[in-house]
Amino acid sequence: MTDIPRPGKIIAVHLNYRSRAAQRGRTPAQPSYFLKPSSSIAESGGELERPAGTELLAFEGEIALIIGRPTRRVSPEDGWAAVSGVTAANDFGLYDLRAADKGSNVRSKGGDGFTPLGPAVLPAADLDPDALRVRTWLNGDLMQEGTTDDLLFPFGRLIADLSQLMTLEPGDVILTGTPAGSSVTVPGDTVEVEVDAPTAPGAPTTGRLLTRITEGRIPFGDFGTKPSVDDHQRSEAYGTPPEPSSTLTDELRAKLASVATATLSSQLRKRGLNNVSIDGLTSTRPGARVVGTARTLRYIPNREDLFSTHGGGYNAQKRAFDAVGPGEVLVIEARGERGSGTVGDVLALRAQVNGAAGIVTDGGVRDLAVVASLDIPTYHNGPHPAVLGRKHVPWDTDVTIACGGASVQPGDVIVGDADGLLVIPPALVEEVVDDAIEQEREEEFIAEQVAAGHPVDGLFPMNDEWRERYRAWRTQR
């Protein structure tokens, strides 16, 4: 490793590229950080074990800044002057251990060899910090490419922010975030990262930082949290983008709001979809229509040891209510269990402030009178005063769930009124709502004819004669 002293501390930024923020579905207003141990440093050309019993070892190509002088309380304009060199980094992470870390990344990103740096250091004085590029290859295929004009927080701002609280010392390393394209690597893979300045004279480059992935043989012991994965962690590790909340255009929303769920239900039935109603729930605002795309939250039955690891802190429940956005419906799987609250007044208010279109839970609601007084409609399975931990553990978000007897996936379209709730697959929304609008026109015509004294035989459904009359009626309308 050329000219890279062993750092006193390694500070990594969570999210810093717009492309990565879009992939994650969230854009931070301010930078946030975590620490990695200096023992995680490795040289180019080395091997990295994927620990035995794990599956989600992910690479993240990054630009690493090396601090060149003691730095405390500098301005963003002066922050870059504290950097002596720039090199390539790979911020490896083991998603199998993220749940145990609860956001600290100590185990998931602190393993031996999890921070390769190098192979060469570019002098910072020769570089424009706004004109750098980082690229990552997996087995020779380009997976990541990002330039510093895509940064949410420029390098000078990161250094100024960190130096408000701590002294950055010579040799300290700052990992500045990864662009979109990070994914999972397996034993036998080779990962390479390069940082360069393609528009600078001579196009200086660090060269490719190379790491070979091997299979670990020693299993984790019983004296610590074991690796575990779920659909959410797999999605994050493989870089699967979140389901878009833009499935519904304003025009589609307006169309869906104009027709009854009963009509939509009959159109879904014509397409062979009979199991798309969320049943048995009561709305706090039965006169209000709900139209939105689904975000999901899953509770599992309470088990005391699991609640101790997943129930406290910034748990899945709090993350879900923070994440639900404008025009979205938060749908909660509570297994029909009425013996505990699954949402209360504060979280319901949070969803309303975020602009959510509604909340749906097949569990209980605490503070029902207050929740019912809010503008946001909440469909629920009855009131209950008990807190979450009596019956539930908040487990994961934005995965396929069951609610009220229906399967719900993130991005599904939820429509509700006084008759109940429907789940519409996004790919069918446009044709279903257009046919539902036409169906309601036909039913309006039929109702007029029945009111005028015509018998229903041949009229409902319409035979050829009545359909011809309907076409004439519609033309006149």
Side-chain angles (χ1 to χ4, degrees):
M1 196 158 43
T2 306
D3 300 328
I4 302 178
R6 191 175 184 87
K9 51 185 173 287
I10 306 166
I11 306 168
V13 182
H14 280 110
L15 274 175
N16 198 22
Y17 282 82
R18 290 182 179 88
S19 63
R20 178 73 160 178
Q23 187 182 44
R24 288 298 201 211
R26 59 184 186 273
T27 301
Q30 301 290 347
S32 62
Y33 314 92
F34 58 93
L35 291 169
K36 299 189 76 171
S38 59
S39 55
S40 68
I41 294 292
E43 297 185 6
S44 181
E47 294 183 343
L48 175 62
E49 278 191 4
R50 187 186 72 174
T54 65
E55 65 171 276
L56 300 178
L57 178 64
F59 59 83
E60 295 181 7
E62 305 201 11
I63 297 171
L65 310 181
I66 301 172
I67 299 299
R69 66 188 189 195
T71 302
R72 180 81 158 107
R73 294 196 175 101
V74 297
S75 68
E77 294 74 22
D78 294 332
W80 176 250
V83 180
S84 62
V86 170
T87 193
N90 201 331
D91 181 20
F92 280 102
L94 195 61
Y95 282 70
D96 309 62
L97 294 175
R98 290 216 309 180
D101 282 348
K102 297 185 177 179
S104 73
N105 291 336
V106 169
R107 299 180 75 208
S108 61
K109 290 204 168 194
D112 288 353
F114 274 42
T115 316
L117 296 175
V121 176
L122 305 179
D126 299 338
L127 302 173
D128 177 356
D130 296 324
L132 299 178
R133 176 175 63 175
V134 59
R135 290 178 292 175
T136 309
W137 293 264
L138 177 63
N139 300 324
D141 294 327
L142 182 65
M143 302 295 289
Q144 293 184 281
E145 182 169 6
T147 55
T148 46
D149 60 1
D150 190 44
L151 291 177
L152 293 167
F153 312 113
F155 296 153
R157 179 174 172 178
L158 299 178
I159 292 167
D161 183 27
L162 290 166
S163 71
Q164 292 183 97
L165 184 64
M166 67 182 77
T167 298
L168 300 175
E169 300 169 321
D172 285 352
V173 170
I174 300 175
L175 305 182
T176 58
T178 195
S182 165
S183 192
V184 171
T185 185
V186 299
D189 284 348
T190 297
V191 187
E192 298 170 283
V193 182
E194 180 183 16
V195 171
D196 64 352
T199 62
T205 175
T206 63
R208 293 197 183 186
L209 170 67
L210 186 148
T211 306
R212 297 180 181 87
I213 309 303
T214 64
E215 181 70 87
R217 301 297 181 190
I218 301 175
F220 284 85
D222 295 330
F223 36 82
T225 303
K226 294 289 190 71
S228 65
V229 297
D230 54 34
D231 288 344
H232 175 68
Q233 296 298 352
R234 288 189 179 94
S235 175
E236 294 251 308
Y238 279 95
T240 305
E243 292 289 341
S245 59
S246 57
T247 301
L248 296 180
T249 62
D250 290 343
E251 180 184 5
L252 270 177
R253 286 181 186 273
K255 286 182 176 181
L256 286 165
S258 73
V259 293
T261 55
T263 311
L264 293 168
S265 178
S266 66
Q267 288 298 324
L268 289 165
R269 183 178 178 83
K270 288 179 180 178
R271 290 161 173 82
L273 292 172
N274 297 309
N275 299 299
V276 287
S277 61
I278 300 176
D279 297 333
L281 307 185
T282 302
S283 175
T284 57
R285 301 195 64 213
R289 290 188 62 82
V290 172
V291 177
T293 48
R295 301 294 294 265
T296 63
L297 167 62
R298 183 167 74 102
Y299 298 133
I300 64 171
N302 187 36
R303 203 178 83 187
E304 288 76 8
D305 60 324
L306 297 179
F307 194 86
S308 68
T309 59
H310 289 73
Y314 194 46
N315 60 32
Q317 180 197 51
K318 294 176 182 176
R319 295 197 304 271
F321 278 90
D322 270 349
V324 66
E328 295 178 332
V329 179
L330 183 58
V331 186
I332 302 170
E333 176 183 336
R335 311 173 313 284
E337 173 57 67
R338 302 178 60 183
S340 174
T342 58
V343 56
D345 56 347
V346 172
L347 291 178
L349 179 60
R350 175 60 173 159
Q352 177 174 295
V353 169
N354 284 353
I359 302 166
V360 178
T361 175
D362 63 356
V365 172
R366 296 185 72 210
D367 315 303
L368 180 58
V370 181
V371 173
S373 72
L374 298 175
D375 293 333
I376 186 170
T378 298
Y379 286 77
H380 62 92
N381 201 13
H384 202 283
V387 296
L388 193 67
R390 181 170 185 262
K391 293 288 185 179
H392 305 292
V393 181
W395 198 252
D396 48 15
T397 62
D398 289 328
V399 295
T400 300
I401 64 167
C403 182
S407 297
V408 181
Q409 295 191 299
D412 281 345
V413 175
I414 307 297
V415 181
D417 60 16
D419 282 345
L421 288 155
L422 292 175
V423 183
I424 307 177
L428 295 178
V429 170
E430 191 162 2
E431 65 177 78
V432 164
V433 73
D434 285 345
D435 287 353
I437 290 171
E438 175 61 18
Q439 178 182 331
E440 291 200 343
R441 288 197 192 102
E442 292 180 2
E443 290 173 352
E444 180 185 358
F445 168 75
I446 292 169
E448 282 188 13
Q449 306 312 309
V450 171
H454 291 286
V456 295
D457 185 35
L459 174 62
F460 185 59
M462 289 186 283
N463 58 24
D464 291 343
E465 179 185 350
W466 274 113
R467 187 155 297 280
E468 190 61 35
R469 293 186 188 184
Y470 166 69
R471 292 191 187 99
W473 174 87
R474 185 173 175 187
T475 300
Q476 292 171 359
R477 304 274 292 199

